[in-house]
Amino acid sequence: MTTLQDGRSSRPHGPDVRPTSGRRPGAPAARLRQIGWHALIIGTLALLLYPVVWLLATSIKPTDEILSSLSLLPSRLAPENYTAALDGIAGIGVWQFFGNSMIVAVGSVIGNLVSCALAAYAFARLRFRLRGPLFAFTLLTIMLPYHVVLIPQYTIFQKLDLVGTFVPLILPKLLATDAFFVFLMVQFIRGLPRELDDAAEIDGCGPVLTFRYVILPLLKPALVTTAIFTFIWTWNDFFSQLVYLNDPESYTVPLALRLFIDQTSESAFGPMFAMSVLSIVPVMLFFLAFQRYLVEGIATSGLKG
Amino acid sequence: MTTGTLHRPPPRPATPGDGATPARPRNRRNQPGIAYLFLSPWVCGALLLTVGPMLASLYLSFTDYDLFTSPEWVGLENYKRLFTDDARFLASAKVTAAYVLISVPLKLAAALTVALLLNRNRRGQGFYRSAFYAPSLLGTGVAIALVWRAMFTDSGVVDSATGVFGWDTGGWINEPDYALYVLIILAIWQFGAPMVIFLAGLKQIPTELYDAAAVDGSGRWRTFRSVTLPMLSPIILFNLVLETIHAFQAFTPAFIVSGGRGGPSNSTLFYTLYLYERGFSQFRMGYASAMAWLLLLVIAIITAVFFGTSRRWVFYSGEDR
């Protein structure tokens, strides 16, 4: 029976778990199938990643070739796109935009790490009467569209004279409004053995010390996942920055990129794509460095992309 | 307060056999005071930035409010106006519905197809999985939306490519009939995130089930219908809910591709785009609040329908049916 099974192809929809004993190394049919599989996937990937390659190629093309030319290779290299991009736009240097984006992103990361970890510990380990309802409320807010709270929030920040500063973008993170990450950390803490807490308690630790010396060190993988996702999402975020930042001096990278659209002349295309490339560099670096955390993080918690 | 707790000696010495008695020292974790100390940032956020603003925007939705003068009660006027006297609103609702109805199923179908394809124990699987995921990270940003805008413009890459086959589109983003598809393609392009979740779900399916199906002589399609799909249905529900909610709130691609106006002829006027226009270009904040609450209502109803019908089509293993 085994041989019969093995004679057939690998099961199409299940994991490939053919018993090793039955596998003849280099059986031509299996090898061919394997090559076909790789070819299919690489072909799909090439199609999928074409726009990214197009962006990279376009950013070094002379302006007159940008739109129409199907060829990815430029007739000559045009580094002037990057010099123009680095000069900035509207009289403001590009580093200013990157600095602003960095402040917002790093502030959001710190805010999420601190506030979500504290809240998650309380939800996962401490007992208090409203724990059930409050946690259910947290889960519900994951589905809440931002727009329902946006206008009153804007009014509050307007009254406090904080519109145009980074406060409205960072403060919500310091107050654990990113329910996704509270949920992620609660799930993680629930997976840690309770005996550790009990041992700490017997050693005389109250909740504060238990959190500091037992939970926090073990929570590190969840903290890393949270930090990476918060950084990338904040870096890419456009809507709330568009709403709250109104002075070009305080513009972040996405808002600066948008300034290029308003310039209708085609000569702005080269610098625009050069700056687009620069804008995705941090995301790409995070992706390359932490891709395992990212992929595992979303596989286990179902975070959005 | 904390230090006081610190210096208190352990309640009692740990003696062998102690673990059996139920009187373990749990009392300190029962102090609600400490719990709320940990929760204090969360409580502030929940009250000041979530519950409070939600109620406030519900109130504002019944008012005329321009941010600078105090809100003026108008009853149901905003809601009535939306449905009877605002062609742009109806257009935005239609565009958004079309976007959700087309992009979400196609995105999930792409995610599931590639997940099934990747689900082999072969070399390179981890690398491929990451590579397919990359667009999900990049695609939400402005940079990629700019790429889409340029690729689908008049005599852009796509136009030139279809022109080879004699189909001169004049640029999809300039054609009311095609412009929405530019955004739908961009949404589908980001199928990596649900794909990773599907892949994790596929790995959870016990191999015995596939063995049993093979013994019974079940073919590929039958195995997929009778083993993979039911076992994966909780994940499908999860992805469906998540992607639907996100699709309703999509903003950046439409804003960038249409230059913030939702054109041509309102064909890319997403709901959120119109909400932004009303609220933050025209400062009709009462009106925008009414739109926000309608959006919440629609999302809540659709989510409820998904979960409500899930007993019929979602299979939870270990549960008698």
Side-chain angles (χ1 to χ4, degrees):
Chain A
M1 188 207 106
T2 339
T3 37
L4 198 88
Q5 287 290 315
D6 283 300
R8 287 213 301 207
S9 69
S10 65
R11 268 150 297 193
H13 299 300
D16 218 351
V17 283
R18 289 168 296 177
T20 28
S21 58
R23 182 166 50 182
R24 286 149 299 174
R31 243 195 114 67
L32 213 63
R33 206 177 299 279
Q34 196 157 346
I35 292 170
W37 182 79
H38 282 283
L40 182 62
I41 286 177
I42 291 173
T44 316
L45 267 179
L47 189 68
L48 193 72
L49 296 180
Y50 174 81
V52 181
V53 178
W54 184 89
L55 170 62
L56 295 176
T58 302
S59 72
I60 48 168
K61 275 184 184 175
T63 298
D64 54 315
E65 285 176 34
I66 282 183
L67 280 185
S68 51
S69 166
L70 274 175
S71 156
L72 286 173
L73 292 175
S75 63
R76 69 173 178 87
L77 289 183
E80 67 266 22
N81 291 342
Y82 279 90
T83 13
L86 286 174
D87 279 344
I89 186 166
I92 298 158
V94 75
W95 300 117
Q96 171 104 31
F97 302 130
F98 274 85
N100 291 339
S101 265
M102 205 52 105
I103 293 172
V104 175
V106 171
S108 300
V109 167
I110 294 171
N112 264 351
L113 287 180
V114 174
S115 66
C116 296
L118 289 174
Y121 175 66
F123 280 127
R125 283 293 205 255
L126 303 177
R127 274 136 209 270
F128 52 100
R129 195 150 13 128
L130 289 175
R131 181 164 81 163
L134 289 186
F135 189 57
F137 169 78
T138 307
L139 293 185
L140 273 182
T141 59
I142 293 178
M143 300 187 190
L144 194 71
Y146 178 53
H147 311 83
V148 174
V149 293
L150 172 69
I151 285 165
Q153 276 189 17
Y154 186 86
T155 312
I156 295 172
F157 288 121
Q158 162 84 18
K159 293 253 153 43
L160 296 172
D161 212 9
L162 290 171
V163 169
T165 70
F166 299 137
V167 177
L169 300 171
I170 299 174
L171 185 71
K173 315 282 175 181
L174 271 168
L175 298 180
T177 49
D178 262 352
F180 248 127
F181 297 117
V182 176
F183 173 65
L184 174 87
M185 291 191 206
V186 166
Q187 291 299 89
F188 194 89
I189 295 175
R190 279 181 180 161
L192 301 174
R194 243 179 211 283
E195 285 73 24
L196 296 171
D197 298 48
D198 291 341
E201 179 144 18
I202 288 168
D203 288 345
C205 290
V208 176
L209 290 181
T210 308
F211 173 70
R212 168 69 188 81
Y213 290 107
V214 178
I215 300 293
L216 211 49
L218 293 172
L219 192 57
K220 212 169 126 194
L223 293 177
V224 174
T225 306
T226 301
I228 301 164
F229 273 110
T230 307
F231 185 92
I232 292 178
W233 290 348
T234 315
W235 189 268
N236 280 342
D237 173 42
F238 178 66
F239 185 62
S240 58
Q241 297 174 4
L242 177 71
V243 166
Y244 281 114
L245 303 178
N246 41 28
D247 173 19
E249 285 281 331
S250 63
Y251 272 9
T252 52
V253 175
L255 295 182
L257 269 178
R258 180 202 159 216
L259 286 179
F260 280 103
I261 310 181
D262 300 337
Q263 302 194 326
T264 39
S265 73
E266 284 211 353
S267 63
F269 264 54
M272 176 173 89
F273 287 117
M275 179 140 174
S276 296
V277 171
L278 295 178
S279 81
I280 62 173
V281 164
V283 175
M284 288 306 270
L285 288 180
F286 263 84
F287 176 69
L288 293 176
F290 296 107
Q291 42 146 321
R292 252 203 53 229
Y293 272 100
L294 287 166
V295 175
E296 299 293 319
I298 112 153
T300 51
S301 64
L303 297 170
K304 68 171 171 174
Chain B
M1 187 187 107
T2 331
T3 41
T5 336
L6 245 186
H7 295 304
R8 213 195 301 160
R12 55 189 175 130
T15 48
D18 212 29
T21 56
R24 275 193 299 175
R26 284 208 175 267
N27 53 336
R28 274 188 234 158
R29 265 181 246 142
N30 287 329
Q31 291 173 3
I34 291 278
Y36 287 111
L37 191 69
F38 274 96
L39 273 184
S40 51
W42 182 89
V43 169
C44 290
L47 290 179
L48 296 176
L49 296 177
T50 307
V51 176
M54 270 180 81
L55 297 176
S57 74
L58 182 61
Y59 164 72
L60 287 177
S61 75
F62 298 109
T63 67
D64 203 357
Y65 179 49
D66 66 357
L67 191 65
F68 304 108
T69 52
S70 48
E72 187 187 327
W73 183 266
V74 294
L76 286 171
E77 187 58 33
N78 287 332
Y79 292 95
K80 223 168 84 193
R81 198 110 175 238
L82 278 171
F83 287 105
T84 55
D85 195 23
D86 190 344
R88 230 165 130 68
F89 167 78
L90 294 178
S92 79
K94 232 169 78 186
V95 166
T96 308
Y99 176 74
V100 172
L101 279 174
I102 301 172
S103 75
V104 172
L106 289 178
K107 185 178 184 183
L108 291 184
L112 184 56
T113 309
V114 176
L116 289 170
L117 183 66
L118 273 186
N119 190 30
R120 317 274 152 103
N121 276 331
R122 290 211 172 124
R123 236 186 335 168
Q125 192 218 34
F127 168 79
Y128 291 142
R129 187 177 63 164
S130 295
F132 277 110
Y133 178 59
S136 290
L137 287 181
L138 296 174
T140 55
V142 170
I144 294 297
L146 287 173
V147 170
W148 246 252
R149 188 181 148 96
M151 288 200 337
F152 286 93
T153 191
D154 189 18
S155 66
V157 177
V158 174
D159 193 27
S160 312
T162 56
V164 173
F165 303 101
W167 182 28
D168 189 13
T169 63
W172 289 28
I173 63 166
N174 305 317
E175 285 293 319
D177 288 342
Y178 301 129
L180 183 60
Y181 289 95
V182 176
L183 301 172
I184 289 172
I185 292 170
L186 177 54
I188 298 169
W189 188 66
Q190 300 167 52
F191 68 79
M195 180 210 74
V196 169
I197 300 172
F198 275 138
L199 205 49
L202 285 172
K203 287 192 194 308
Q204 299 292 319
I205 302 178
T207 32
E208 295 83 54
L209 293 180
Y210 289 105
D211 291 337
V215 168
D216 290 348
S218 154
R220 281 179 183 219
W221 174 245
R222 190 61 213 268
T223 310
F224 175 69
R225 281 275 302 127
S226 305
V227 179
T228 311
L229 268 188
M231 293 302 286
L232 210 55
S233 54
I235 313 265
I236 295 175
L237 172 68
F238 178 86
N239 271 335
L240 187 63
V241 169
L242 222 62
E243 293 299 334
T244 306
I245 292 176
H246 288 146
F248 268 107
Q249 298 179 55
F251 177 83
T252 311
F255 187 94
I256 296 298
V257 169
S258 74
R261 283 178 290 276
S265 322
N266 295 343
S267 58
T268 60
L269 185 68
F270 279 14
Y271 195 90
T272 52
L273 205 60
Y274 188 50
L275 194 156
Y276 173 81
E277 182 184 304
R278 281 294 186 176
F280 293 92
S281 306
Q282 305 169 358
F283 290 101
R284 300 275 313 271
M285 292 206 158
Y287 203 73
S289 296
M291 286 188 67
W293 267 87
L294 276 181
L295 178 65
L296 173 63
L297 213 65
V298 169
I299 288 180
I301 289 172
I302 289 176
T303 311
V305 167
F306 282 149
F307 280 108
T309 59
S310 69
R311 289 188 64 80
R312 300 218 196 113
W313 61 274
V314 175
F315 173 76
Y316 292 102
S317 49
E319 183 190 89
D320 283 330
R321 294 241 292 171

